[in-house]
Every structure is written in structure tokens, then in C-alpha cells.
Amino acid sequence: MPATPIARPAAETIQAVVRELQAQFGNRAVTSQAVREQHGHTLTWLPNQPPDVVVFPHTTEECADIVKLAARHRVPIIPFGTGSSLEGHVNAPYGGISVDTSQMKAIIAVHAEDLDVVVEPGVTRKQLNEYLRDQGLFFPIDPGADASIGGMTATRASGTNAVRYGTMKDNVIALEVVLPNGEVIDTARRSKKSSAGYDLTRLMVGSEGTLGLITKITLKLHGIPEAISAAVCSFASVKDAADATILAIQTGIPLARIELLDEVQVRAVNLYSKLTLPEQPLLLVEFHGTDAGVAEQVERFRAIADDCGGGNFQWADKAEDRTKLWQARHDAYWAALALKPGGKGVSSDVCVPLSRLAECIDATKKDIEETGLIAPIVGHVGDGNFHVLPLMDENDPAEVAKVEAFMGRIVERALAMEGTCTGEHGVGQGKMKYLKAEHGAAALALMAAVKHAVDPEGLMNPGKIVAG
Amino acid sequence: MPATPIARPAAETIQAVVRELQAQFGNRAVTSQAVREQHGHTLTWLPNQPPDVVVFPHTTEECADIVKLAARHRVPIIPFGTGSSLEGHVNAPYGGISVDTSQMKAIIAVHAEDLDVVVEPGVTRKQLNEYLRDQGLFFPIDPGADASIGGMTATRASGTNAVRYGTMKDNVIALEVVLPNGEVIDTARRSKKSSAGYDLTRLMVGSEGTLGLITKITLKLHGIPEAISAAVCSFASVKDAADATILAIQTGIPLARIELLDEVQVRAVNLYSKLTLPEQPLLLVEFHGTDAGVAEQVERFRAIADDCGGGNFQWADKAEDRTKLWQARHDAYWAALALKPGGKGVSSDVCVPLSRLAECIDATKKDIEETGLIAPIVGHVGDGNFHVLPLMDENDPAEVAKVEAFMGRIVERALAMEGTCTGEHGVGQGKMKYLKAEHGAAALALMAAVKHAVDPEGLMNPGKIVAG
């Protein structure tokens, strides 16, 4: 049973909706072209499809009011966090109301004894960690961008720390959600685990706003490690770096982060961040633990790296040195873009079983060469997840077509290796076309049946994941 | 939209189904009274409700055949693992076909480099760990009973190791499932993470056979730790033991297990397992890591336990001593039953935020005293999860009523502390009555809508979780 296809609402309907929103929200309901376009922006080649109106709620009740209003008029709802989506999640292909949660930024309760926190969806990960620091606690998920917790939940985000701390799937304890009918539910209690029925929390995590509007998130926290050490280490080939990664993980070293940069990405980072890293494949690793524990991890990792031909170790035990290294890593996207001034980049994020990673990256590098692209690679290799960022002139249709075909081949290659088309960015609009190949028709039909059951009118973020 | 209520099929329908099953499965389709009753057994006060026929498939295709046959005749399907359910999950209130997966015991593939394994649902956790041992790998989830992996997946099981390694929710990578319409899907790829659409894996984990029949499970594995140490430590009160637990977890000691036994349970264990533990509240802890790491964990835990008045440390570094300790812990259920010869025990499994644990257990102990029950307590206290096992004469209606009311109060108390009615046993038949109080009407309606979308005829394990 496919989700009900939806049509763009009539102009009069939108006018009525805007009138009602402005009556309730005043200048928190905005229809200016600039604000609407900013809310339909994409960091990709996907076209900007602005919503009809952007509204900035402050409370769950206001969110429920907006959803009920939308249901009454059969107008789409598009949840919006910080807009750092890479797959057009915030686009409004059928128009409608963009619900910008950026003014819902309260950190409602920190339960230090329980290692959890309850936040509103507009809280960003950096804001949260600054708030928590004095209590010796931190929230580990780090997708690079200073994304909102609501957005990270909706896309099942992960990033550099996931190899140790898991993804949003593993770190969300409970959610408050406004359902498409305007009812507000809690998906779970605050206890660490439960077997009480269907896992509504995990149903919502990664549902990209297509099943409801997230209004509160209870997250797991961790104690800030007593000792942190980071290092970079160069390898002759991507294969050697991947082998070192596999061995380190198999041996049980509890790596907090292990990131691969290929030689193209290292060159980009050197140029952009004024570093002098050897322009070879490189692993950037971080260890968390007690002083003695970190020392032991470092020693073991070093032995493994040596066995795999790793060299040029550079350590960063001091916070400022680590920050500089990780800033360079986080700037990898911008550094890559700088390799082709005026160019546009599109980021793939396939994920394969670790044992297939080297093979998958090698084949991709060969493809890059044969296709004649500039396409740096950076990866959360401990999870088998890597990004390729082909650069292109978006005004050159032939180049765009070439890159699009290349991106498709990356996904095909990952799927053939028991992998997924998206390890962390989500489906949005950009990856809908791959879901049938990944999941098969029957599983995709099951997703559509669930969507239809939860959102029979098809109003929640239509045109994403499974919608008609 | 509630799930379609189902009626018990007519006798002719059952006869036709049995004839078809016997034609295909021969003596693997069984209708003897003894086998049927064994498949409707409960370890509780729930009445035995035997299925009409028990069938023992060998392959996914056979499972799909059975499900299609059931759909054609509108006859219920009840999945069966080893029958260690504590909430009547395997009962057949509307009759139907019990699908016993115990002959699907293949360990299909161990991917050592990826730290995962693919198994059939009838594989038990002990069988799996025996198979893996030579490769230095293990599967950590340990609910006590030698349950099947299929059953553990279906109930979102956890147990003693969950404090370190998570629950089934965290350790299932992907599932193969026969849907109620007979179609076979894979819920996910074998990659460690994915953001490709709704989390069908987590939708199925904990769905207790009400959404489909699990036919393959891909599980995360872990390396067998280099060093393991276990210890027992006694405390003056449950509060002191709980405080030590909270501190240890807050400090970041990566405890592999931390189990509480109250003084009643210790007495029972001493009697049953011929031990001489001090008859006070006791923590049974286990540490996993490198030699140096375990030594450090032990030292830190000991300092915390000292601060909380812990004493009488007894260490078990040798495997045989640890086995003896854990055998005693695993026999806690039988030891408790032995406190009242001829009596029956019912096990609660509420779970609360860690900060509320001592208060919850204290209030429960007061309730036990006021009610006049023998009711040992044992808990996975690192997760805030504990079991109370009131003993009763099941032929004394007054005593049964007293225990039933007591069990209801345990759940009420846990819910009032932001906890759940079931941390790990699941809902089955026994806990359906608590779900509205726990989740609220709207969330429960959402579960029912999902059930109806996936299983519109209501044939998959009817009468469990949300079914009419």
C-alpha cells in the first residue's frame, strides 16, 4: 500500500494557512522569498524548492497547533533544523510549511546520575557540549557540521565518533513526537532499556520527518574521558591503512575515532588548513580512556600500524593540537571544494562491511581516475563508511551527468558488497532512487505501508524516503 | 486503527491446515496433545493455551510456505524458539500453527574481519558461543536461559552483559523475515550502520512474532577479552550497593556485568548452590579488558565499593571459579523457587533510571514485607533493571490474587519513576494490561496502526502486545 500521493495545495489554501499562522505566530511566520529559499536550500545539485511559509515555534504545543492546522488544510509539513542536510531533506517539492525548530533550544534537564539529557530539537551538538562540559559530561555524536539534535535524530546521523559510541540510533533513549494527526506521544520511558512493545524510538530515528515532528529528545551522555590522545599516521596505500583499521578493531582496541584521508584529501587539507602532512593516505586516530589505558591503546595501535607499513606518526596529546587536527578533518569538505574554485561538490556516504572496505575504495579510486574526476576521499573507516566528494562545474551539464553516473556506480559497488547507499546522510530526495536496489521491493513496500499507517494523508515531509 | 480482532478458526479449517502441513512436512507436523501443550507452556501463572499443530521447518522457504498456508486459511502463526518465554509469548489463545524453529540451527557464516555472524533462529546462545570460541570471538547477550537467538531477537532480550554490550536492539545488524503475506525480506544490509530509510531491523526486534517470522539473524560479535576478572562484594544495604553501582558507571568504569542480589536471594543461592556468601545485599561484578586495563578497573571499583561500605571481597580470576559464581547467579531463579518447595514463582523485570533504582528497590522491599511475601530480588543494576520473584502456592487463589496485586504495584512504582514495565522479558500476554499506562493511548494506537499495516489480518501471534 503506497503512501497517498500528494498534490501541491491551491494558492487560496496556502493563503488561508499563512493567515492563520500569522494570526497565531505574528512575525514568527515568515513568507519572504529569501527566508523561504534559505529553508529549501541544499548543499548539493538538487534544485531549491522553497516552502510556502516558514514558522518558528517555541513549544511542543505550538508544534502540535501547526501540524493540526496543516492536517486541516492538507498542507505539507517540512521539519527544519539547521539546514545542514546533504540530500535535500528540507526541500519542499509540494510546498507547505517549513517548521524551523531553531528557536526551540532549551536544554531541559541533565540527569548526571543517569548519564542522560533531555533537549529540544533546535539545540545543536556544539551548544549541548559547551553546556555539559562543566559537569564532566559529553555527547559524542559528531557529524562534522554543527547540526541540530533534532536533525541528527531525524537522519540517524553519526560521524567520526560512531566507531566507539555508535550512531544516533544507539544514543537516543526517547523522543517526544507530534504525530501527523497532531497527537503528542513519548516513544519510550527514560529507563536505559525496555522490551515494552514496538520500538517507536527507533522507528522515528532516521525517519527524516516523514512520520512526525520531533519536539524533545532524550540522549545518552558519557563522561569526558580522563585522557585523550590523537595521532596521524601515513601509509603507502589505502589498502594498508584499511588493513591497519581492521586489525585494530579486531584486536579490540576501543578506538574513539579512526578516519582515513586519501592522498588527494590530504593535499586539499594541507592547502586549506596550512598543514604539512605527508601527501599519502593517512589515518587520523583518537584514543579515549584512563591515562594508563590510553597509553596501552597507543602502544598497541602503533605496533599494528608498524606491521602495516605506517609511518610519520605525529601525536597530539594537548587539547589545542588535537583541536587543530580535528578542525582540519572537519574542514575536509571545504578544503576539498577549494581544489576546484567555483566548483560544486557532492558527497557520497556509502558504508560496506569492514572486510570489503579496501576493495571498495580501491575500485572507486580506479573509477575516479578512469572517469577523470577530482574526487577526494575521507572515511569513518572503523565503520566501513567513506565519503567521496567529486568536484564539478554545476553549469556544465556534461560534467554534472558524468558525476551523477559516477555517484550511481559508487552506490552499485557498495550494494554489491553487502553495503548501503547511505551510512549517515540519509535518503532525503537524493537517494530515493537507490532504495529499491538496496532493500528489495517487498521491504520497500513494508516501509511504504508503515508510512501510510502513520501518515495516511502523506503530509509529513512528502517526497522523501518512500512517499509517492 | 486497531488490529483486526481474530476468532478461533473452525474445526474444519484446522483439519484442512493439518492435512496440508502433514502432506508437506510428514512427521514434522505434529498434533499430539503432549507436543501441543509443551508449545503452549508458560513459566508463569498464565494458563496453557496449546496450538492446534506444531510444525518444524528446516528452511526459510518452508517457513514462507507455512505463513502463506496460514494466510490462505486465516489461521494464526505462533513462532516458537526454546520456550523460555516468561510472559506467555508462545501461547495460542486463538489456536493455530506453532512454528518451532528449533531445527533451524545452522550457523551460516562467521565474518571474523567484520565481527559478525549470520545464524538461523533456532541457534541457541550457548551453541553459538561454543562454535565461536576457537576463533576468539563471542556473542555477549546472556539472558540466563539458553534461549534461541530467534526468541531473544523477538523479545529484545538482554541480561547480565547488557550494561557493557547493550541489548538485542544493539546487537542485531540485520534480519531475514517472512512477512505475514509470505514475502521474505531482508531488513538491512550487513554494513555496520545505515541511514537508508526506516529501521526495519529495530521494528522487528522486540515485536514478539507479531509482525513476521524471523528466519535469519545477523549479529555483532566481540573478541573474547584478553583478561576477565569477577568478584563478589557485600554491602550493608541495597542503597549502598546501588550507590556503588551509580558511582562506578558515572566514573566510566566499563563494567562487563554488575548484578545485585538482595539478602533473601543470597540465602537462596547459598542453599541451592552450596555457597557460603555473607547473607547481605551483594554485588557480583565482572571486568573485561587487557590485563592492565582489568587491573585498573578492579582497583577503581574497589575504591568505590570501599567508599560505599562494601566488604568481604572475593575474587574469581580463574575461569572455573567464575563459572561457579555465574552458575550460582544463573541458578538464582531455581534457587528462589527452592525457598518454597512446591511453590510457583513469577518474575517481574521493571527497569528504572539508575538514579531511582535504590528508591524503587527499597519501596519494593517494604511492600514485600507489608504484603507478607517471600520474594527474592536480583538485578542487572547497571541498567536499572531488577527482578522480584514472589513465591506462591498457585492452588491458593487468595495468595495468587495477593501476588498479582503486588506485581501490579511493582509496575506502577516503576512507571511513576519514569521506568518501564519490562526491561527484558517482553510483553507477551502478561504485560499487555500495563502498556496503556506506560505508553499512553496515542502511542499505543500508533503501535496498533503499525501492527495493522504490517499484518492486516491479525494472524501473526495474535493476542500479544497490541492485538485485539
Side-chain angles (χ1 to χ4, degrees):
Chain A
M1 186 160 39
T4 314
I6 184 170
R8 183 178 272 276
E12 316 74 273
T13 306
I14 295 300
Q15 283 159 15
V17 164
V18 169
R19 266 197 311 274
E20 284 193 52
L21 285 174
Q22 285 175 337
Q24 178 170 0
F25 293 93
N27 61 9
R28 289 191 285 130
V30 183
T31 55
S32 77
Q33 178 85 356
V35 170
R36 293 195 296 112
E37 281 182 2
Q38 186 245 329
H39 283 77
H41 83 151
T42 74
L43 291 166
T44 68
W45 53 28
L46 295 162
N48 188 304
Q49 297 168 317
D52 295 303
V53 53
V54 181
V55 61
F56 296 82
H58 287 169
T59 64
T60 299
E61 293 65 35
E62 288 186 351
C63 289
D65 288 344
I66 297 165
V67 171
K68 282 179 199 158
L69 171 70
R72 215 157 51 232
H73 291 280
R74 304 206 62 207
V75 166
I77 291 279
I78 304 99
F80 188 95
T82 62
S84 52
S85 151
L86 290 170
E87 293 292 348
H89 294 92
V90 300
N91 247 347
Y94 303 97
I97 308 167
S98 175
V99 182
D100 184 322
T101 57
S102 64
Q103 295 181 17
M104 295 176 72
K105 286 183 91 69
I107 294 169
I108 297 167
V110 177
H111 303 106
E113 286 195 321
D114 299 318
L115 294 173
D116 72 49
V117 62
V118 185
V119 301
E120 289 186 334
V123 171
T124 69
R125 65 175 186 89
K126 286 188 185 170
Q127 179 199 347
L128 178 59
N129 278 322
E130 272 157 33
Y131 185 90
L132 292 170
R133 193 175 301 134
D134 288 348
Q135 300 181 61
L137 297 169
F138 83 113
F139 173 67
I141 312 296
D142 170 11
D146 189 20
S148 70
I149 301 295
M152 288 169 64
T153 303
T155 53
R156 203 181 296 125
S158 46
T160 58
N161 275 314
V163 62
R164 166 81 168 258
Y165 297 97
T167 74
M168 287 304 281
K169 154 177 87 61
D170 308 299
N171 284 280
V172 173
I173 295 171
L175 296 169
E176 182 186 80
V177 179
V178 181
L179 295 180
N181 62 8
E183 286 189 300
V184 179
I185 64 162
D186 291 311
T187 59
R189 295 304 188 102
R190 203 161 59 74
S191 54
K192 240 184 95 184
K193 64 182 191 181
S194 173
S195 286
Y198 304 147
D199 191 343
L200 298 181
T201 308
R202 250 52 57 183
L203 181 63
M204 292 294 168
V205 173
S207 66
E208 304 185 1
T210 65
L211 301 179
L213 182 59
I214 295 167
T215 47
K216 279 196 194 86
I217 304 111
T218 304
L219 297 169
K220 282 188 200 169
L221 298 178
H222 298 264
I224 294 176
E226 191 177 302
I228 301 178
S229 184
V232 291
C233 172
S234 298
F235 292 83
S237 69
V238 163
K239 171 87 172 64
D240 289 348
D243 284 344
T245 305
I246 292 176
L247 275 170
I249 285 176
Q250 262 198 312
T251 320
I253 302 178
L255 298 157
R257 289 164 152 166
I258 183 158
E259 297 285 301
L260 170 77
L261 283 67
D262 80 344
E263 67 283 2
V264 183
Q265 182 68 58
V266 173
R267 190 168 70 244
V269 162
N270 276 346
L271 287 170
Y272 187 87
S273 302
K274 318 262 179 297
L275 296 174
T276 55
L277 298 164
E279 294 186 1
Q280 298 173 247
L282 168 150
L283 286 178
L284 172 46
V285 283
E286 189 168 284
F287 307 94
H288 292 180
T290 61
D291 287 324
V294 165
E296 190 176 49
Q297 289 179 50
V298 163
E299 190 190 330
R300 289 183 178 210
F301 180 76
R302 184 142 193 168
I304 287 170
D306 280 348
D307 283 349
C308 298
N312 289 305
F313 265 92
Q314 295 183 35
W315 295 96
D317 294 327
K318 280 188 285 185
E320 62 263 34
D321 295 341
R322 271 203 316 278
T323 303
K324 198 171 160 195
L325 268 184
W326 285 110
Q327 190 59 48
R329 164 64 189 88
H330 281 334
D331 288 341
Y333 177 75
W334 306 110
L337 290 187
L339 287 179
K340 181 164 176 145
K344 183 120 185 176
V346 206
S347 178
S348 72
D349 68 321
V350 295
C351 184
V352 295
L354 199 50
S355 60
R356 310 297 296 270
L357 181 66
E359 183 188 353
C360 193
I361 295 182
D362 275 348
T364 301
K365 287 181 76 71
K366 206 170 152 207
D367 191 351
I368 291 169
E369 203 177 312
E370 286 170 4
T371 313
L373 294 171
I374 302 175
I377 292 178
V378 55
H380 312 309
V381 284
D383 294 323
N385 181 208
F386 67 98
H387 305 296
V388 187
L389 194 86
L391 301 167
M392 62 185 178
D393 174 355
E394 61 179 330
N395 300 315
D396 176 348
E399 195 164 271
V400 171
K402 192 162 77 170
V403 168
E404 200 164 0
F406 168 76
M407 297 294 269
R409 288 195 299 277
I410 294 182
V411 170
E412 274 168 37
R413 196 174 294 124
L415 293 183
M417 295 181 184
E418 300 183 76
T420 175
C421 68
T422 172
E424 54 185 22
H425 294 169
V427 177
Q429 299 179 303
K431 299 217 183 85
M432 288 177 71
K433 61 186 168 199
Y434 302 128
L435 290 195
K436 193 166 169 192
E438 174 155 348
H439 294 296
L444 203 56
L446 179 61
M447 290 190 197
V450 169
K451 163 75 175 173
H452 186 76
V454 180
D455 180 25
E457 302 293 328
L459 296 176
M460 296 304 303
N461 210 3
K464 321 291 161 71
I465 303 186
V466 292
Chain B
M1 184 159 40
T4 314
I6 182 170
R8 182 177 273 275
E12 316 76 271
T13 305
I14 295 298
Q15 283 159 13
V17 164
V18 168
R19 266 196 310 274
E20 285 193 50
L21 286 172
Q22 285 175 338
Q24 179 170 2
F25 294 93
N27 62 9
R28 288 190 283 131
V30 183
T31 56
S32 77
Q33 178 82 358
V35 170
R36 293 195 297 111
E37 281 183 3
Q38 186 245 329
H39 283 77
H41 83 152
T42 74
L43 291 166
T44 69
W45 52 28
L46 295 162
N48 187 303
Q49 297 168 318
D52 294 303
V53 53
V54 180
V55 60
F56 297 83
H58 287 171
T59 63
T60 299
E61 293 63 37
E62 287 187 351
C63 289
D65 288 343
I66 298 166
V67 171
K68 284 179 199 159
L69 171 71
R72 217 159 49 230
H73 291 281
R74 303 206 63 209
V75 166
I77 290 280
I78 305 100
F80 187 96
T82 61
S84 52
S85 151
L86 290 169
E87 294 291 348
H89 294 93
V90 299
N91 247 346
Y94 303 96
I97 307 166
S98 176
V99 182
D100 185 320
T101 57
S102 64
Q103 296 181 18
M104 294 175 73
K105 287 183 92 67
I107 295 169
I108 298 167
V110 177
H111 304 105
E113 286 195 322
D114 299 317
L115 293 173
D116 72 48
V117 63
V118 184
V119 301
E120 287 187 334
V123 171
T124 69
R125 63 174 187 89
K126 286 186 185 172
Q127 180 199 346
L128 178 58
N129 278 321
E130 272 156 33
Y131 185 89
L132 293 170
R133 192 175 303 136
D134 288 348
Q135 300 181 61
L137 297 168
F138 83 115
F139 173 67
I141 312 297
D142 170 12
D146 189 21
S148 68
I149 301 297
M152 289 170 63
T153 303
T155 53
R156 203 180 295 125
S158 46
T160 58
N161 274 315
V163 63
R164 166 82 167 258
Y165 298 96
T167 74
M168 288 305 282
K169 154 177 87 60
D170 307 299
N171 285 280
V172 174
I173 295 171
L175 296 169
E176 181 186 83
V177 179
V178 180
L179 295 180
N181 61 9
E183 286 188 301
V184 180
I185 63 163
D186 290 312
T187 59
R189 294 305 187 104
R190 204 162 59 76
S191 55
K192 241 185 95 184
K193 63 182 192 182
S194 172
S195 285
Y198 304 147
D199 190 344
L200 297 181
T201 308
R202 251 50 59 183
L203 180 63
M204 292 294 167
V205 172
S207 66
E208 304 185 2
T210 65
L211 301 179
L213 181 60
I214 295 167
T215 47
K216 279 196 194 88
I217 304 112
T218 305
L219 296 169
K220 283 189 198 168
L221 298 177
H222 298 263
I224 294 176
E226 192 177 302
I228 301 179
S229 184
V232 291
C233 172
S234 297
F235 292 84
S237 68
V238 164
K239 172 88 171 66
D240 290 348
D243 285 344
T245 306
I246 293 175
L247 276 170
I249 285 176
Q250 262 197 311
T251 319
I253 301 177
L255 298 157
R257 289 165 152 166
I258 182 159
E259 297 286 301
L260 171 76
L261 282 67
D262 81 344
E263 66 282 4
V264 184
Q265 183 68 59
V266 173
R267 191 167 70 244
V269 162
N270 277 345
L271 287 171
Y272 187 86
S273 301
K274 317 262 179 296
L275 296 175
T276 55
L277 299 163
E279 293 185 1
Q280 296 172 248
L282 168 150
L283 287 178
L284 173 46
V285 283
E286 189 167 285
F287 308 95
H288 292 179
T290 61
D291 287 322
V294 164
E296 190 176 50
Q297 290 178 50
V298 162
E299 189 190 332
R300 290 184 177 209
F301 180 77
R302 183 143 194 167
I304 287 169
D306 280 349
D307 283 349
C308 298
N312 289 305
F313 266 93
Q314 296 183 35
W315 295 98
D317 293 328
K318 279 188 285 183
E320 62 262 35
D321 296 340
R322 271 203 317 279
T323 303
K324 198 172 161 194
L325 268 184
W326 285 110
Q327 191 57 49
R329 164 62 190 88
H330 280 335
D331 287 341
Y333 176 75
W334 307 109
L337 289 186
L339 288 179
K340 184 165 174 143
K344 183 119 184 177
V346 205
S347 178
S348 72
D349 68 320
V350 295
C351 184
V352 295
L354 199 50
S355 60
R356 309 298 296 271
L357 180 67
E359 183 188 353
C360 194
I361 295 182
D362 275 348
T364 301
K365 287 182 75 72
K366 208 170 149 208
D367 191 350
I368 291 168
E369 201 176 315
E370 286 170 5
T371 312
L373 293 172
I374 304 175
I377 293 178
V378 55
H380 313 309
V381 284
D383 294 324
N385 181 208
F386 67 99
H387 304 296
V388 187
L389 193 85
L391 302 168
M392 64 186 178
D393 174 356
E394 64 179 329
N395 299 314
D396 177 347
E399 196 165 272
V400 171
K402 193 162 77 170
V403 167
E404 199 163 1
F406 168 76
M407 297 294 271
R409 291 196 297 277
I410 295 182
V411 170
E412 275 168 34
R413 196 174 295 125
L415 293 183
M417 295 182 185
E418 301 183 76
T420 175
C421 67
T422 173
E424 54 184 24
H425 293 168
V427 176
Q429 298 179 303
K431 299 218 182 83
M432 288 178 73
K433 61 186 169 200
Y434 302 128
L435 289 195
K436 193 168 172 190
E438 174 156 345
H439 294 296
L444 202 55
L446 178 61
M447 288 189 198
V450 169
K451 163 73 176 174
H452 185 76
V454 180
D455 181 25
E457 302 292 329
L459 295 177
M460 294 305 301
N461 211 3
K464 321 292 161 70
I465 304 184
V466 293

PDB file of all heavy atoms in Angstrom, chain B residues 36 159 297 417:
ATOM      1  N   ARG B  36       1.711 -30.361  21.678  1.00  0.00           N
ATOM      2  CA  ARG B  36       0.964 -29.105  21.607  1.00  0.00           C
ATOM      3  C   ARG B  36       1.017 -28.382  22.950  1.00  0.00           C
ATOM      4  O   ARG B  36       1.256 -27.177  23.002  1.00  0.00           O
ATOM      5  CB  ARG B  36      -0.476 -29.358  21.159  1.00  0.00           C
ATOM      6  CG  ARG B  36      -0.556 -29.849  19.697  1.00  0.00           C
ATOM      7  CD  ARG B  36      -1.967 -29.757  19.127  1.00  0.00           C
ATOM      8  NE  ARG B  36      -2.914 -30.613  19.834  1.00  0.00           N
ATOM      9  CZ  ARG B  36      -3.913 -30.161  20.607  1.00  0.00           C
ATOM     10  NH1 ARG B  36      -4.107 -28.870  20.765  1.00  0.00           N
ATOM     11  NH2 ARG B  36      -4.725 -31.006  21.208  1.00  0.00           N
ATOM     12  N   GLY B 159      19.986  -9.034  29.681  1.00  0.00           N
ATOM     13  CA  GLY B 159      20.582  -9.879  30.708  1.00  0.00           C
ATOM     14  C   GLY B 159      21.826  -9.271  31.293  1.00  0.00           C
ATOM     15  O   GLY B 159      22.020  -8.060  31.253  1.00  0.00           O
ATOM     16  N   GLN B 297      40.604  -1.345  36.380  1.00  0.00           N
ATOM     17  CA  GLN B 297      39.162  -1.327  36.670  1.00  0.00           C
ATOM     18  C   GLN B 297      38.889  -1.877  38.074  1.00  0.00           C
ATOM     19  O   GLN B 297      38.081  -1.327  38.824  1.00  0.00           O
ATOM     20  CB  GLN B 297      38.395  -2.178  35.658  1.00  0.00           C
ATOM     21  CG  GLN B 297      38.331  -1.631  34.252  1.00  0.00           C
ATOM     22  CD  GLN B 297      37.570  -2.596  33.337  1.00  0.00           C
ATOM     23  OE1 GLN B 297      36.476  -3.047  33.658  1.00  0.00           O
ATOM     24  NE2 GLN B 297      38.152  -2.926  32.202  1.00  0.00           N
ATOM     25  N   MET B 417       8.383   6.306  38.302  1.00  0.00           N
ATOM     26  CA  MET B 417       9.786   6.749  38.330  1.00  0.00           C
ATOM     27  C   MET B 417      10.374   6.809  36.922  1.00  0.00           C
ATOM     28  O   MET B 417      11.589   6.625  36.753  1.00  0.00           O
ATOM     29  CB  MET B 417      10.602   5.798  39.210  1.00  0.00           C
ATOM     30  CG  MET B 417      10.196   5.827  40.674  1.00  0.00           C
ATOM     31  SD  MET B 417      11.232   4.728  41.678  1.00  0.00           S
ATOM     32  CE  MET B 417      10.402   4.877  43.280  1.00  0.00           C
TER      33      MET B 417
END
